[in-house]
């Protein structure tokens, strides 16, 4: 079973507060779980070393083990989320666990790009708004189309690159889009002196 | 209009460019390994797509391979499955594989330059963040995720937003060019600009202190660009770079002509404008040792483990991170770095496992013995490095000193194979990441140079390697 890219719709969910900075992809999905050759089934290993003790028992004080947040689709975290290794398994694990939105003051470049490829929306907000979200306990409504997060009577707007937005909303396959440029790629290959390895 | 080196490489690889959109960039070299590729090949199969340019693509097996005797069957079945899967994928899609018993097998970023596959002025990708290593040759080399691996296999291009440019100017002369290494330079840079200081940027390392370095030392610097959060790191190629690639197994036939076109072109123009700039005087740099759980948490060897406040200044988030790091590392603030005892030493990884690294480490080790409380290993970056080291008798120096001498691979840099730390073990490591659990769940990593790792193995704790004799 592969993860299918589905059009991104509205999200109604409570927030999982995850107030940590510099969360690296080694923490999101430790290396011992990178050996699967499919994209599914990584959710149970998400944050493994933080979620479970050495005997494999869930740690009570770790937020993802709190049943209150079980159905949450939104992770709110702190700066430089997803740094380190390029492993896309980190996004597959978050998605498989149920997170469709990750909100942070900043993301590592490769992780940020990997999110969009898998229908996960990464949102960048300034630290004051992050603090507001971290303290908000009721359900929020997140609408990608209008780029708006509603928290009770208030709302927060967010920025997103218009092309990435369209791709998420429509669930478009990027390779299909690129293959429409096939003629230009062919012309580039003919016009440039590309050096074969062999 | 003046351009930086990065902008020149970018502009010569644009296939499609439209206003306010990402650009479609042509990829000259695609390197593939077993961990981040299986799902990409699956995607090709599901959609009935081919690899567009197998002649620009190579694969090797590095992350999972055992570093012990490879004539024995693999114990770890899931690793074996991943390796078999890459072998099958390469066969099905016509990709050249440097497999587990190939004399050219090795860490993907080590073999690229060694085989003459890495070329100045080119665009290079691999599903691995340390692809930035190859920027040392003046290439735009960067890590990608698995979806982008699939995209590159299918189209030989990627949609990219143009990164900004960041000049890192390294001036002065190292006071002790044996004991203060390029690893110490890059750790000092990351300490200053932070783990996200380079985010959204391509770093260009410039200045006399960079020109002064050998190619293998430059690769160590570019390798850790990702640890500063940057998209890539590069250095303008010079004669040293052109010589390194020359006469390798896959050096292009018309190499001299290519060098002629690179020579006058592959450098930032005088007065080219960078979006950001940072200057470091290498004369002041001491040997470095990391004490925390990210590569900016680093101290001078003559220093002490800082307090969270000293590290974080007034930044609450950083103070909190440092507290957590000290707890994980089981270190007390104020402890002199040289008094931290170690259990394990790992000399290896794409950061520091090339021939020069091993030569320098062997210089420290020669005629001495590893401390009885320490378990130390050397894992050459590739079979070729291993072979060359053995020709020089380095294996004998290490083995006589009670180091283990292993087969090539990523090994304990990330511990996907059986080479891992036990919970609580403390390791002096020449690798690139000191994240929690990186080298094994509960393991504690201190990032250091190869000479520092070698000296620590003998002493049983960190030492000021400038005073080693």
């Amino acid at each position: 079973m592969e993860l299918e890219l589905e059009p991104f719709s509205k999200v109604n969910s409570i927030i999982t507060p995850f107030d940590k900075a510099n969360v690296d992809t080694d923490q999101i999905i430790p290396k011992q779980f990178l050996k699967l050759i499919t994209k599914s089934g990584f959710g149970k290993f998400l944050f493994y070393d933080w979620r479970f003790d050495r005997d494999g028992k869930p740690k009570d004080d770790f937020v993802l083990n709190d049943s209150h947040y079980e159905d949450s689709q939104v992770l709110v975290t702190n700066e430089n989320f997803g740094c380190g290794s390029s492993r896309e398994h980190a996004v597959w694990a978050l998605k498989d666990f149920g997170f469709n939105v990750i909100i942070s003051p900043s993301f590592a470049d490769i992780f940020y790009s990997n999110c969009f490829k898998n229908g996960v929306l990464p949102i960048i907000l300034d630290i004051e708004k992050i603090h507001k979200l971290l303290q908000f306990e009721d359900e929020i409504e997140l609408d990608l189309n209008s780029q708006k997060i509603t928290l009770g009577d208030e709302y927060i707007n967010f920025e997103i690159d218009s092309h990435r937005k369209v791709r998420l909303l429509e669930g478009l396959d990027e390779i299909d889009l690129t293959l429409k440029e096939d003629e230009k790629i062919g012309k580039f290959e003919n016009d440039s002196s590309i050096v074969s390895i062999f | 209009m003046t351009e930086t080196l990065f902008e020149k490489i970018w502009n010569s690889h644009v296939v499609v460019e439209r206003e306010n959109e990402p650009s479609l960039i042509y990829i000259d070299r695609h390197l593939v390994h077993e961990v981040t590729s299986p799902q990409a090949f699956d995607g090709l199969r599901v959609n009935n797509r081919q690899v567009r340019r197998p002649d620009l693509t190579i694969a090797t097996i590095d992350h999972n391979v055992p570093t012990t005797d490879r004539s024995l069957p693999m114990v770890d079945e899931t690793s074996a499955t991943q390796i078999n899967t890459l072998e099958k994928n390469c066969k099905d899609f016509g990709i050249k594989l440097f497999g587990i018993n190939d004399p050219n097998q090795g860490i993907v970023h080590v073999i690229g330059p060694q085989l003459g596959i890495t070329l100045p002025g080119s665009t290079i990708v691999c599903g691995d963040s340390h692809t930035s290593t190859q920027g040392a040759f003046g290439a735009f080399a960067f890590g990608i995720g698995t979806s982008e691996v699939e995209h590159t296999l299918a189209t030989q291009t990627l949609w990219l937003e143009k990164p900004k440019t960041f000049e890192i100017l390294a001036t002065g002369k190292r006071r002790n060019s044996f004991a203060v290494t390029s690893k110490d330079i890059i750790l000092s840079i990351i300490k200053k600009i932070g783990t996200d200081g380079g985010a959204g940027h391509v770093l260009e390392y410039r200045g006399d202190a960079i020109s002064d370095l050998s190619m293998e030392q430059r690769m160590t610097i570019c390798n850790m660009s990702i640890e500063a959060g940057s998209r890539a790191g590069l250095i303008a190629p010079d004669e040293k770079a052109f010589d390194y690639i020359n006469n390798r197994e896959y050096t292009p036939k018309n190499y001299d002509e290519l060098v002629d076109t690179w020579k006058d072109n592959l450098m930032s123009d005088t007065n080219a404008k960078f979006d950001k700039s940072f200057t470091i005087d290498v004369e002041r740099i001491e040997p470095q040792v990391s004490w925390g759980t990210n590569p900016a948490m680093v101290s001078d060897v003559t220093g002490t483990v800082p307090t969270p406040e000293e590290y974080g200044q007034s930044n609450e988030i950083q103070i909190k991170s440092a507290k957590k790091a000290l707890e994980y590392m089981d270190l007390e603030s104020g402890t002199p770095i040289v008094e931290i005892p170690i259990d394990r030493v790992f000399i290896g990884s794409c950061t520091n496992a090339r021939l020069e690294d091993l030569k320098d480490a062997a210089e420290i080790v020669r005629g001495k013995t590893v401390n009885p409380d320490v378990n130390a290993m050397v894992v050459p970056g590739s079979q070729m490095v291993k072979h060359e080291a053995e020709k020089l008798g380095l294996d004998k120096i290490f083995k006589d000193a009670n180091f283990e001498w292993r087969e090539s691979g990523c090994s304990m840099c990330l511990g996907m194979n059986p080479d891992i730390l036990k919970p609580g073990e403390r390791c002096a490591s020449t690798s690139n990441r000191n994240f929690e659990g990186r080298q094994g769940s509960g393991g504690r990593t201190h990032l250091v140079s190869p000479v520092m790792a070698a000296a620590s193995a003998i002493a049983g704790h960190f030492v000021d390697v400038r005073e080693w004799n």
Side-chain angles (χ1 to χ4, degrees), chain A residues 31 35 88 178 189 195-196, chain B residues 26 29 55 76 147 151 437:
Chain A
K31 74 264 173 181
K35 294 176 187 173
E88 201 160 315
T178 307
E189 287 174 325
V195 185
S196 291
Chain B
Y26 199 81
R29 295 285 185 264
D55 64 317
D76 181 344
S147 296
H151 193 280

Side-chain angles (χ1 to χ4, degrees), chain A residues 19 21-22 26-27 31 34-35 38 50 84-85 88 109 163-164 176 178 181-182 189 195-197, chain B residues 18 21 26 29 39 49 52 55 76 82 146-147 151 159 161 200 317 414 416 433 436-438:
Chain A
D19 190 10
N22 294 313
D26 275 83
Q27 302 315 319
K31 74 264 173 181
L34 301 184
K35 294 176 187 173
T38 59
W50 286 349
S85 155
E88 201 160 315
D109 291 343
H163 291 85
R164 285 181 152 149
D176 273 345
T178 307
E181 313 280 0
D182 189 55
E189 287 174 325
V195 185
S196 291
I197 297 171
Chain B
R18 298 186 187 105
E21 285 187 31
Y26 199 81
R29 295 285 185 264
Q39 297 86 350
R49 291 173 180 140
R52 185 182 179 95
D55 64 317
D76 181 344
Q82 214 166 41
T146 299
S147 296
H151 193 280
W159 291 101
E161 273 167 55
I317 297 166
L414 84 167
M416 278 195 72
R433 287 187 179 135
E436 283 183 30
R438 169 83 177 176

Side-chain angles (χ1 to χ4, degrees), chain B residues 10 14 26 74 77 126-127 148 156 162 166 171 179 183 185 192 205-206 243 251 265 340 344 390 414 424 437 460 463:
Chain B
W10 175 274
V14 172
Y26 199 81
M74 276 184 68
E77 282 179 27
C126 172
E148 289 181 319
Q156 204 59 35
K162 191 175 176 181
F166 191 162
T171 60
K183 180 68 160 281
I185 298 177
K192 289 275 163 45
Y205 303 95
R206 292 148 59 83
D243 287 350
T251 304
N265 193 24
I340 300 172
R344 303 280 296 265
E390 286 171 354
L414 84 167
V463 292

Side-chain angles (χ1 to χ4, degrees), chain B residues 184-420:
Chain B
D184 302 302
I185 298 177
I186 187 63
L187 285 173
S188 302
I189 292 169
I190 298 166
K191 179 163 68 175
K192 289 275 163 45
I193 69 172
T195 52
D196 58 355
H201 291 72
V202 170
L203 310 184
E204 184 182 335
Y205 303 95
R206 292 148 59 83
D208 293 345
I210 300 295
S211 320
D212 184 48
L213 299 172
S214 71
M215 286 318 296
E216 300 198 343
Q217 293 168 331
R218 292 179 196 179
M219 280 191 256
T220 301
I221 295 212
C222 288
N223 171 277
M224 288 192 74
S225 301
I226 183 73
E227 263 53 73
S230 60
R231 200 76 180 87
L234 46 75
I235 295 171
D238 55 9
E239 287 300 330
K240 286 183 201 172
F242 304 140
D243 287 350
Y244 194 95
I245 304 283
N246 203 2
N247 293 318
R248 303 278 178 172
E249 194 169 337
Y250 295 95
T251 304
K253 305 243 163 357
N254 60 339
Y255 190 67
D256 291 344
E257 283 169 41
L258 290 171
V259 171
D260 282 341
T261 64
W262 295 330
K263 249 181 195 163
D264 304 322
N265 193 24
L266 289 179
M267 63 191 77
S268 290
D269 295 329
T270 318
N271 301 326
K273 271 192 70 76
F274 292 85
D275 295 297
K276 262 165 112 173
S277 184
F278 171 80
T279 302
I280 189 163
D281 180 0
V282 302
E283 198 177 319
R284 295 160 189 275
I285 293 178
E286 285 190 17
Q288 301 291 304
V289 178
S290 78
W291 50 266
T293 53
N294 77 48
M297 294 174 168
V298 176
S299 276
D300 291 346
V301 70
T302 56
T304 56
V305 176
T307 63
E309 290 72 22
E310 279 164 352
Y311 170 74
Q313 303 293 324
S314 55
N315 183 328
E316 277 305 317
I317 297 166
Q318 298 295 354
I319 292 171
K320 210 170 115 187
S321 302
K323 276 186 189 152
K324 192 163 174 284
L326 290 177
E327 198 178 308
Y328 181 85
M329 294 296 288
D330 192 27
L331 288 173
E332 293 278 340
S333 299
T335 307
I337 296 292
V338 292
E339 286 178 18
I340 300 172
I342 53 168
D343 308 303
R344 303 280 296 265
V345 168
F346 171 62
I347 299 179
S349 88
C350 56
T351 313
N352 277 128
R354 284 168 286 267
L355 189 63
E356 279 180 39
D357 298 316
L358 305 192
K359 271 193 202 164
D360 289 350
E363 223 23 71
I364 296 276
V365 168
R366 191 190 299 272
K368 298 195 166 62
T369 310
V370 171
N371 183 290
D373 295 332
V374 175
N375 174 310
M377 68 197 280
V378 182
V379 182
S382 68
Q383 285 298 306
M384 209 190 294
V385 169
K386 179 168 184 267
H387 183 70
E388 286 169 2
E390 286 171 354
K391 274 202 297 198
L392 297 174
L394 305 186
D395 57 326
K396 195 166 180 316
I397 295 173
F398 284 116
K399 283 191 280 195
D400 285 351
N402 288 341
F403 273 83
E404 290 183 46
W405 179 253
R406 297 289 192 97
E407 300 295 331
S408 54
C410 300
S411 179
M412 209 162 70
C413 173
L414 84 167
M416 278 195 72
N417 74 348
D419 307 338
I420 54 170

